[in-house]
Every structure is written in structure tokens, then in C-alpha cells.
Amino acid sequence: MTKIMAVNAGSSSLKFQLLEMPEEKTITSGIVERIGMKKSVFSIKLNGDKLEETLDIKDHGVAVNILLNKLLELKIIASFDEILGVGHRVVHGGSKIAESIVLNEKEISYLESIVDLAPLHLGPNLTGIKAFKEVLPNVKHVGVFDTAFHHTMPEESFLYAVPWDWYERFQVRKYGFHGTSHKFVSDRCAEIMGKKPEEVNVIVCHIGNGASICAVKGGHSVDTSMGFTPLEGIPMGTRSGNVDPAVVEFMMTKKNKKAKEITNILNKQSGYLGVSGVSSDSRDLVAESAKGNHRAQLAIDVQAKRIADYIASYYVYMGGADAIVFTAGIGENAKSTRSNVINRVKALGVEIDEERNDCRGVERLISTDESKVKVYVIPTNEEVMIARDTLALL
Ligand code: AMP
């Protein structure tokens, strides 16, 4: 029996899941929130119950200690030695890291050298890694990178048509994100179809609060909608997705703001929230739209149109697709978004079966038997992917 901890550290939070491997069974999961603030919240799920505690947790090191001691106290583990590996979700691996790796000094130094590629996420990821390594020094720590799966993109997909020097000296290129999810879901899709990943072309639509589309050809990412940062691509909960870059300077002048402030607005006040003026949550938009709120429906449609644009483009780029898969919060739960998108790509011979589509959070084929491309809902599971890679490197 091998227990592996999958960890996702944010600036003030730390999500964890303890898994029994290789059975891929979740033993427990939880989250520490408001780290570094007053009244931090620690919650853990056990046998269907949720235990919650409010206490002051000053940093990630304290959070890790509290979490591990809780596992002992609740008798989930008898000693720390039972945890054979810790897999860390890391947002960015730069242009060098193409797969999951064991995190030793050298690897951590490299990650520190590229923090400015994703300062909001990579900094906190490193804080989490260091905190865990300090408390569990004899355990292998593995980094599983959001960008790694996209390393197979060809130059023509990942290069921007900007001065070469921007790419060579400053590493300005498309990296892509959500790679762990795109890989999990496309592998699973091949399995459901009774094929090997090499044998199928899949278009994965990871539509959550953050959202990206990925063209997976024969098991490899060949293009994806997020870019240098997660801001590129389709509109999301609060992110704009693609806009003409000239808008930045134009709005800086009109609003007398700095570039950083405009980028912040494109990241945090745009997308669903910006267009609807109501909410960044798809459930609110669906409810508002049902009441006749035009801008709420428009926010949904602007996104659906762009998702359809990417599907059509990736279909052509890959020379056809065997399946389109919906995953993540909205992809798994919002049947209206799924049919909105698929009805826009009917020209590809894709057809949705509304009865099959009437589902939430389950793995299911939702296209008609006649559809030329199969359409699936496949719940993503990044933690299992992290645990699989960690186990492989133990
Ligand atoms: P994620 O970032 O993957 O956790 O996804 C978050 C998004 O999923 C939010 O916009 C939620 O509104 C959306 N979501 C969750 N459940 C539902 C549901 N039943 N119907 C529509 N959207 C949902």
C-alpha cells in the first residue's frame, strides 16, 4: 500500500488530497484557506463528513504541520513514514521542463529563476514545496507541471510572430496551461473508446472558472488556447481571453491607468463578469438569462462562439477529430453550455443528443449515434494524475 499526497499551493491556500496508490482511491482531502490572515480555515473531508476548524495559520510551513498532525490525530495515518511521496502541482515549468520531475535543489533553483513568468502562482507553489520538504525531508517530492503536457506543441503553434529576440532572450512564447487535466481527460477518452492514446485525435474543452481548449493528436498536445499566460484564448469567468493588444494602450490613455492595472482588469473584471455585469459564475448567468437578462446570455454566447471557433480550427489542424470532450466545473455541469457549443459546430457533422446531454458530473457519451465525432463529458481529476506521476517517479 502506497500513500501519496497531491498538493496544490496557492498564495493563501493549500489544497491537498491523500490517495492510496495504485488503486487511485482518495483517503482524504481538504483545504487550508486564508493562510497568513486572521481566522484561517482548515477543512478536511473524511468518510463523507467535513470537519472544519478556524485558527490562525501564519504561513505555509505552519499549514503543512497542522495538516500532517491532523492526519495522525484522526488516525488517517499511523506515522509520517506512510506517506511515500508528495506530488506538487506547479503552474509553470518554463521552456525546459517537459514532464514531471523529482524536485531537488537544482530543479527548485531553476523554478526560482523563472518566477517572473507566473509570479502570482509560481511563487506560492514554491512556498508550498519548500514547506513540505522541510517537514518531510526524507520523502520524494515531485513537481507536476501545468505547462509540461504542451511541450509537444510544434514551433508553428507555440511561436508568436513577434521579434525573435523576444522569444530567444525573454522566453515570450505560448506555454499553455491545464496540461495535467488535458492529459488525464484525453487519455481517459481514448480508454473509453477502446483505443490507445496514439490512435485518436481529441479536442478537450476544459471549461471552468479558468478555461482552455486543447488539440490532442495521438496523445500529444499540438495546440492549446492559453498562451504566455492563462489570459489568452477563450473568455472565462473573469478573464477576457483574446483581445487586440492595441486595446491595452488605448484604455491606459482613456482611463489614465498603468499597463499593470489594465492587465489586472483583463484578468479579474472581464470575461463573464465584464460582459454580463452580474457575475463570474456560470450558474448565476444561466439563472439571470432565464429571467431575460440579455447581457447574461450574451456573456455565455460570446464564450460559446469562441469555444466553437477553437474546436473548428483544431479539427482542421489535426486533420479531423475522433472526439470532443467537455470537462471542469462548467464543462461537466452545464448542459446548456455544452449544447450551445456543439450546435455551433454542426458543420463538422457533430450532433448532440439532448437526452444524453441531460447529466451533471458523470462520464457519459452525449452525441447521437449518427454523429461523425463523438462528444463526451469526462470529469477531470488532476489529483489522480499528480499521484500517478509521483508514483512513477518513486
Ligand atoms: P472550476 O473552475 O472547474 O471549479 O469551475 C467553476 C465553474 O463551474 C463556475 O463558473 C461554476 O458556476 C460552474 N459550475 C459548477 N456547477 C455548475 C452547474 N451545476 N451548472 C453550471 N455551472 C456550474
Side-chain angles (χ1 to χ4, degrees):
M1 290 213 297
T2 305
K3 290 191 177 75
I4 288 180
M5 179 77 90
V7 178
N8 186 352
S11 56
S12 64
S13 69
L14 194 131
K15 270 195 228 161
F16 62 91
Q17 197 172 121
L18 187 68
L19 294 109
E20 190 74 61
M21 296 296 285
E23 295 81 2
E24 304 187 342
K25 198 178 133 241
T26 301
I27 303 167
T28 182
S29 65
I31 184 166
V32 191
E33 287 168 291
R34 298 176 51 88
I35 297 173
M37 300 174 218
K38 287 249 169 315
K39 296 198 176 141
S40 318
V41 182
F42 173 84
S43 54
I44 186 164
K45 267 195 221 151
L46 192 59
N47 306 326
D49 294 329
K50 186 168 159 188
L51 311 173
E52 204 168 87
E53 243 178 79
T54 304
L55 59 178
D56 291 341
I57 301 179
K58 80 171 181 359
D59 58 30
H60 284 72
V62 175
V64 173
N65 270 298
I66 290 178
L67 150 65
L68 290 171
N69 285 316
K70 204 71 184 172
L71 297 181
L72 288 177
E73 197 184 300
L74 294 171
K75 301 198 169 29
I76 296 167
I77 52 172
S79 93
F80 292 165
D81 296 343
E82 282 181 35
I83 301 172
L84 293 191
V86 182
H88 299 266
R89 177 183 182 188
V90 186
V91 69
H92 215 304
S95 46
K96 286 201 184 143
I97 299 178
E99 56 193 2
S100 299
I101 51 167
V102 176
L103 298 166
N104 290 318
E105 297 264 305
K106 190 171 99 215
E107 290 74 22
I108 291 177
S109 298
Y110 169 69
L111 292 178
E112 279 169 339
S113 77
I114 59 162
V115 161
D116 63 350
L117 289 178
L120 295 182
H121 294 100
L122 194 49
N125 288 163
L126 279 161
T127 310
I129 292 166
K130 288 178 188 165
F132 260 97
K133 272 179 90 86
E134 213 166 291
V135 185
L136 298 173
N138 302 320
V139 161
K140 252 193 194 150
H141 293 263
V142 169
V144 180
F145 298 83
D146 271 25
T147 50
F149 182 57
H150 302 299
H151 253 259
T152 45
M153 283 192 291
E155 282 177 316
E156 62 181 23
S157 289
F158 76 67
L159 281 175
Y160 294 121
V162 293
W164 189 254
D165 167 64
W166 291 18
Y167 165 54
E168 214 167 45
R169 280 184 59 208
F170 302 106
Q171 303 174 65
V172 171
R173 49 160 285 180
K174 180 186 274 191
Y175 291 99
F177 297 86
H178 291 143
T180 314
S181 172
H182 287 304
K183 178 165 170 45
F184 177 87
V185 168
S186 53
D187 279 359
R188 179 67 194 138
C189 178
E191 199 177 341
I192 297 171
M193 295 175 85
K195 303 255 171 99
K196 295 195 179 112
E198 309 79 280
E199 295 169 336
V200 287
N201 293 347
V202 182
I203 299 169
V204 181
C205 305
H206 177 115
I207 322 286
N209 194 29
S212 70
I213 318 295
C214 186
V216 187
K217 188 173 171 66
H220 300 293
S221 166
V222 291
D223 204 355
T224 190
S225 59
M226 281 181 169
F228 178 65
T229 73
L231 185 52
E232 191 182 342
I234 61 171
M236 312 174 206
T238 60
R239 293 188 191 119
S240 62
N242 296 343
V243 292
D244 181 338
V247 167
V248 176
E249 193 199 327
F250 182 79
M251 287 313 298
M252 282 169 69
T253 313
K254 291 286 176 201
K255 292 259 191 176
N256 193 22
K257 285 189 188 292
K258 299 195 178 74
K260 203 176 174 167
E261 293 171 297
I262 299 295
T263 306
N264 198 39
I265 293 172
L266 292 174
N267 266 304
K268 303 210 170 126
Q269 292 173 39
S270 303
Y272 281 167
L273 179 62
V275 176
S276 71
V278 175
S279 170
S280 64
D281 192 302
S282 89
R283 282 166 292 203
D284 295 340
L285 297 192
V286 172
E288 276 296 314
S289 161
K291 286 191 237 155
N293 183 330
H294 172 64
R295 272 174 57 190
Q297 185 56 44
L298 205 51
I300 294 172
D301 288 341
V302 168
Q303 185 194 49
K305 194 253 176 209
R306 297 270 195 91
I307 298 172
D309 290 348
Y310 273 98
I311 292 177
S313 152
Y314 290 167
Y315 181 93
V316 172
Y317 186 50
M318 293 197 290
D322 302 285
I324 297 166
V325 183
F326 287 93
T327 195
I330 298 166
E332 291 166 28
N333 292 299
K335 61 179 179 184
S336 57
T337 294
R338 294 190 297 251
S339 49
N340 193 338
V341 169
I342 295 300
N343 284 330
R344 289 166 190 269
V345 290
K346 276 185 183 158
L348 305 177
V350 194
E351 198 179 27
I352 197 158
D353 180 321
E354 286 303 349
E355 242 170 69
R356 292 177 183 171
N357 184 39
D358 192 7
C359 63
R360 279 188 50 193
V362 289
E363 200 173 272
R364 184 183 280 189
L365 175 78
I366 57 166
S367 48
T368 61
D369 294 337
E370 291 74 35
S371 180
K372 285 201 195 131
V373 182
K374 291 196 179 330
V375 185
Y376 292 97
V377 176
I378 301 181
T380 192
N381 196 334
E382 291 169 280
E383 287 74 21
V384 160
M385 206 67 222
I386 292 170
R388 277 183 200 168
D389 280 10
T390 306
L391 181 67
L393 286 167
L394 281 186

